[in-house]
Amino acid sequence: MGWFLGLGSAGLVLLALSLVFDGILEGFFESIGGGLSGLDGVLSLPVIAGFVSALGFSGAIATGAAGAGAVASTLTGIAVGAVVAWLTWRFSRALLRDGAAPAPRGEDLTGTSGAVVTAIPADGYGEVLLYLGGQPVKYAAKAAEPVARGTEVWVESVPSPTSVTVRPVEH
């Protein structure tokens, strides 16, 4: 039973190290996986740590509580470890899903509407309030003609990350 508890504890230590040293140990385990790119994270550190911990602790439970022998406890530990490793892999894939919507960019503002919060003079910049990714953001704004405060505007272009070119919305 001592071996099983040692394996379970080693898995927990491995998981704690992966949290503390983040990508350092992950790179080591990916290099072990080498050309196994088709496994897509199966050999990630959390998956390995989950497998080792589950193998150890379930083997210890099988030995202590059920009085199983070494072979039966090892097989039980491997089975439970495989299930935990698979669940960890599926959970991590769901968290890191590539199909998630990309982060909003300033270019996404083209064609959206907003409101002038600081009047836009004919030869300079004013300010407009726009919504990017659902969040209100204030941008410097330039227009072909003067635009009064409170006017609804339409974004025509995004010349820089902090400024936009607008025109008044015609109702």
Side-chain angles (χ1 to χ4, degrees):
M1 180 153 69
W3 284 99
F4 289 120
L5 290 175
L7 275 175
S9 299
L12 291 179
V13 168
L14 192 60
L15 185 59
L17 287 175
S18 74
L19 293 173
V20 172
F21 294 111
D22 197 21
I24 297 171
L25 292 175
E26 190 74 36
F28 171 74
F29 280 98
E30 284 177 8
S31 68
I32 291 173
L36 304 174
S37 60
L39 293 177
D40 190 26
V42 172
L43 291 180
S44 71
L45 197 52
V47 170
I48 293 169
F51 175 79
V52 171
S53 291
L55 185 152
F57 291 131
S58 63
I61 290 170
T63 301
V71 173
S73 295
T74 302
L75 292 175
T76 301
I78 289 172
V80 172
V83 169
V84 168
W86 181 80
L87 289 172
T88 304
W89 175 68
R90 294 291 295 172
F91 184 66
S92 65
R93 280 193 54 193
L95 288 177
L96 302 173
R97 184 168 304 142
D98 288 338
R105 302 173 308 182
E107 296 82 31
D108 296 337
L109 290 170
T110 303
T112 62
S113 64
V116 176
V117 292
T118 303
I120 304 171
D123 57 347
Y125 284 92
E127 292 179 318
V128 294
L129 184 64
L130 304 171
Y131 288 87
L132 181 62
Q135 298 298 314
V137 183
K138 215 169 19 171
Y139 286 89
K142 191 168 185 126
E145 58 190 61
V147 182
R149 180 178 184 268
T151 305
E152 185 179 2
V153 292
W154 190 263
V155 177
E156 291 184 322
S157 66
V158 183
S160 77
T162 58
S163 68
V164 293
T165 304
V166 298
R167 67 175 169 80
V169 172
E170 299 170 8
H171 290 285

